[in-house]
């Protein structure tokens, strides 16, 4: 039905360099490109540790699940972690159970979600238009910087995108290509699972709003009409949320523990409704996401001046494919823009839908000289910029030296990273010179492949000892010896994660004074074997300053070691552990 409403623009020069969409050569070119895409997303898997701001806390919670066998409630050290549902951490813990390696396991959920999203984007486009359009959709989504970046980060958002796109896929199959009540139930279930992965997982169901508006204007159009089967939405959605809410509800009914009740209130109310309506951090202006789209969605945002008028013309023709995809994306954009708290990752779930909506127009757009110049200029600018940065890193220019000192990076690392940047920059410039204006689209795809290979194989592994805090924690282990015990005050998640066996902590969100009171009692039990790892700004005045050891810096924080014998427990008891300004310093975060 929908495929007959409007045809894609004629394809004179496809993104892959042969024009016949049915030829075996064209399929071979696409298969090669897809293999390169997958390899670039795989590049670096297992070569680095979790890094701030989000990765270490999720892995801490997942590791706690594996080590204790208690999977229902995620923990950050000794405290319950009530800021996110545990679904993502369950996936990480399950992946570790299968693989037995955290450096592989913690990144795999995002990678698999990215690959699922690419396939769903391809299949959605194939069903709405044809296979050639589907190829443009997949490659168009891949080249957008934010997609690749989140595919190579262990954050919840890529898994959320996978669930969101699965829900959209089911809705499109039912609303535009149906009726298909099974696909509708799958969409509602995926939205439910997405909701207990991150609270906004219900957003795909907003597609019903533009669809209802279109059906009201076109009541005779084929498709799903009135039926009792629409009631599948509610039980399927509830079933998806029950993946986590059901065991939580059972625990709440059977366990009167006030801590569990407080955890549920924090997560179900403060971290959802309150966080949206009255966010207490990440405040940004209403137009913030326009800036995000212009920068993190490069190079896709470069074709917006040509793409937006084309979309407008097709919406005026009442093509339901565009009305539903673009109408849903607009609703999501307005939803997040209305909240005072904004982060760039919030609108990432829009990107696959926009890639599907853009795909049938890309063949025509890539014939335009202006579009080709914009894409080729992007490749050249990216290549030249990395050449400049790489040269500065190799030769220790001022900017490179300043950043290395700020992050306590050993200077010998700079040339190593610099040569990776130079290699990528030279390759990008060479691609632009060889493929030239006529193959600007292909140059963008190959440059993106090289970018993520460089990122995964070169840049991140080289900087990993500093960004993951593993270097500092190695120094701690060496200094205190294998038989000592370590406690932590005003710590960061990556520091606790890098302790083996896991150090003793005295709370993460607790006031620093209370942490010191517990730390003093803990140290007093065995002062000869016990040490404290402390943020420098939170060091207690009850410590013997002559015995304090500056052990190193990581993530713009300076860390100190205190032998148990150098802490005066009676002083801590008298002063109640108060350290002036310690809580502000502890809440300042990592600065990443």
């Amino acid at each position: 039905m929908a495929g007959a409403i409007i045809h894609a623009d004629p394809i004179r020069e496809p993104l892959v360099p042969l024009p016949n969409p049915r030829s075996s050569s064209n399929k071979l070119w696409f298969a090669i490109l897809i293999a390169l895409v997958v390899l670039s997303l795989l590049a670096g898997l297992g070569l680095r540790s979790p890094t701030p701001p989000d990765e270490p806390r999720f892995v801490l919670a997942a590791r706690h699940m594996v080590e204790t066998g208690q999977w229902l409630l995620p923990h950050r050290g000794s405290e319950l972690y009530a800021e996110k549902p545990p679904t993502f951490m369950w996936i990480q813990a399950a992946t570790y159970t299968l693989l037995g390696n955290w450096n592989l396991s913690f990144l795999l959920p995002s990678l698999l979600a990215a690959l699922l999203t690419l396939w769903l984007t391809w299949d959605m486009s194939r069903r709405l238009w044809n296979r050639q359009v589907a190829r443009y959709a997949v490659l168009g989504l891949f080249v957008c910087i934010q997609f690749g970046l989140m595919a190579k980060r262990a954050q919840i958002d890529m898994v959320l995108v996978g669930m969101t796109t699965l829900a959209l896929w089911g809705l499109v199959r039912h609303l535009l290509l149906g009726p298909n009540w099974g696909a509708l139930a799958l969409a509602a279930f995926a939205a439910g699972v997405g909701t207990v992965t991150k609270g906004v997982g219900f957003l795909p169901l907003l597609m019903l709003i533009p669809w209802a508006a279109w059906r009201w204007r076109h009541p005779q159009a084929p498709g799903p009409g009135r039926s009792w089967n629409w009631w599948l939405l509610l039980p399927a959605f509830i079933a998806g949320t029950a993946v986590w809410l059901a065991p939580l509800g059972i625990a709440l009914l059977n366990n009167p523990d006030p801590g569990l009740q407080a955890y549920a209130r924090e997560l179900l109310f403060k971290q959802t409704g309150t966080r949206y309506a009255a966010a207490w951090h990440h405040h940004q202006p209403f137009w913030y996401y326009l800036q995000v789209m212009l920068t993190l969605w490069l190079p896709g945002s470069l074709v917006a001046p040509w793409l937006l008028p084309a979309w407008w013309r097709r919406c005026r023709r009442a093509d339901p494919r565009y009305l539903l995809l673009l109408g849903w994306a607009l609703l999501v954009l307005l939803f997040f823009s209305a909240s005072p708290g904004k982060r760039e990752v919030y609108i990432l779930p829009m990107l696959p839908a926009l890639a599907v909506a853009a795909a049938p127009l890309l063949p025509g757009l890539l014939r335009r000289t202006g579009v080709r110049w914009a894409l080729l200029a992007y490749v050249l600018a990216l290549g030249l910029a990395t050449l400049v940065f790489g040269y500065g890193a190799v030769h220790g220019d001022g900017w490179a030296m300043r950043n290395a000192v700020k992050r306590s990076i050993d200077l010998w690392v700079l040339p190593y990273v610099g040569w990776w940047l130079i290699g990528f920059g030279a390759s990008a410039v060479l691609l632009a010179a060889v493929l030239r204006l006529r193959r600007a689209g292909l140059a963008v795809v190959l440059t993106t492949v090289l970018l993520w290979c460089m990122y995964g194989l070169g840049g991140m592994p080289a900087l990993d000892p500093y960004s993951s805090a593993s270097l500092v924690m190695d120094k701690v282990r060496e200094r205190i010896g294998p038989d000592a015990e370590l406690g932590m005050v005003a710590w960061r998640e990556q520091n606790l994660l890098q302790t083996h066996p896991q150090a003793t902590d005295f709370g993460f969100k607790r006031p620093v004074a209370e942490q010191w009171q517990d730390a003093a009692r803990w140290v007093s039990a065995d002062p000869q074997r016990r040490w404290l790892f402390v943020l420098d700004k939170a060091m207690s005045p009850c410590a013997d300053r002559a015995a304090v050891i500056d052990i190193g810096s990581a993530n713009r924080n300076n860390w100190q070691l205190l032998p148990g014998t150098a802490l005066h427990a009676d002083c801590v008891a008298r002063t109640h552990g108060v350290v002036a300004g310690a809580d502000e310093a502890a809440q300042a975060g990592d600065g990443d």
Side-chain angles (χ1 to χ4, degrees), residues 259-310:
L260 179 60
Q261 307 290 328
Y263 166 83
R265 286 194 301 272
E266 168 85 6
L267 185 51
L268 297 176
F269 298 103
K270 181 179 179 181
Q271 296 295 336
T272 52
T274 304
R275 191 185 187 101
Y276 175 82
W280 51 91
H281 53 14
H282 302 302
H283 287 184
Q284 299 291 347
F286 184 83
W287 45 264
Y288 171 73
Y289 289 118
L290 297 179
Q291 166 194 317
V292 172
M293 290 186 283
L294 287 173
T295 53
L296 288 179
W297 289 6
L298 284 169
S301 56
L302 294 176
V303 302
W306 297 273
L307 191 58
L308 292 175

Side-chain angles (χ1 to χ4, degrees), residues 102-423:
W102 279 115
N103 280 4
L104 281 174
S105 305
F106 87 98
L107 283 170
L108 203 55
S110 292
L111 172 65
L112 294 177
L115 296 178
L116 172 65
T117 301
L118 289 173
W119 183 83
L120 291 168
T121 300
W122 180 86
D123 194 63
M124 205 185 319
S125 305
R126 176 184 67 85
R127 293 175 185 275
L128 289 175
W129 283 280
N130 56 54
R131 289 179 179 270
Q132 183 71 354
V133 168
R135 295 166 186 168
Y136 284 90
V138 168
L139 296 176
L141 175 60
F142 167 71
V143 299
C144 292
I145 289 174
Q146 191 179 36
F147 178 83
L149 185 63
M150 297 310 297
K152 300 178 82 67
R153 296 284 301 171
Q155 295 179 229
I156 294 177
D157 300 276
M158 196 70 245
V159 173
L160 174 67
V161 170
M163 289 295 101
T164 299
T165 310
L166 178 59
L168 292 177
W169 178 85
L171 287 169
V172 163
R173 291 199 60 181
H174 178 65
L175 301 177
L176 293 178
L177 305 172
N180 187 327
W181 300 104
L184 178 68
L186 176 60
F189 181 82
V193 175
T195 300
V196 294
T197 301
K198 198 170 184 179
V200 295
F202 67 90
L203 287 175
L205 299 180
L206 293 181
M207 183 175 275
L208 294 171
I209 296 176
W211 178 80
W214 179 79
R215 287 287 296 181
W216 180 71
R217 295 290 301 271
H218 302 85
Q220 304 305 318
R226 294 181 179 179
S227 170
W228 285 104
N229 290 331
W230 283 106
W231 286 101
L232 285 170
L233 271 171
L234 184 59
F237 179 80
I238 292 174
T241 62
V243 167
W244 173 60
L245 291 182
L248 177 64
I250 293 171
L252 288 169
L253 289 173
N254 295 329
N255 190 344
D257 180 9
L260 179 60
Q261 307 290 328
Y263 166 83
R265 286 194 301 272
E266 168 85 6
L267 185 51
L268 297 176
F269 298 103
K270 181 179 179 181
Q271 296 295 336
T272 52
T274 304
R275 191 185 187 101
Y276 175 82
W280 51 91
H281 53 14
H282 302 302
H283 287 184
Q284 299 291 347
F286 184 83
W287 45 264
Y288 171 73
Y289 289 118
L290 297 179
Q291 166 194 317
V292 172
M293 290 186 283
L294 287 173
T295 53
L296 288 179
W297 289 6
L298 284 169
S301 56
L302 294 176
V303 302
W306 297 273
L307 191 58
L308 292 175
W311 276 343
W312 174 248
R313 289 191 295 271
R314 281 151 182 80
C315 287
R316 291 187 64 185
R317 295 173 195 167
D319 187 327
R321 297 169 295 186
Y322 292 99
L323 288 174
L324 265 64
L325 292 168
L326 298 177
W328 175 78
L330 181 60
L331 288 174
V332 172
L333 179 61
L334 292 174
F335 175 85
F336 284 118
S337 297
S339 172
K342 301 176 179 66
R343 292 185 67 188
E344 65 276 1
V345 295
Y346 289 174
I347 60 167
L348 181 61
M350 293 168 49
L351 197 53
L354 294 178
V356 174
L361 304 171
L362 287 178
L365 293 180
L366 288 171
R367 298 198 309 268
R368 293 177 174 266
T369 303
V371 172
R372 291 176 176 177
W373 271 117
L375 296 178
L376 194 66
Y378 165 78
V379 172
L380 282 171
L382 190 60
L384 292 173
T386 51
L387 279 173
V388 171
F389 290 137
Y391 178 87
V394 168
H395 291 85
D397 286 354
W399 71 267
M401 193 73 70
R402 286 193 301 272
N403 279 279
V405 171
K406 183 186 298 184
R407 293 186 171 270
S408 302
I409 297 172
D410 293 326
L411 297 184
W412 65 265
V413 175
L414 291 181
Y416 179 82
V417 174
W419 282 115
W420 273 98
L421 292 172
I422 288 173

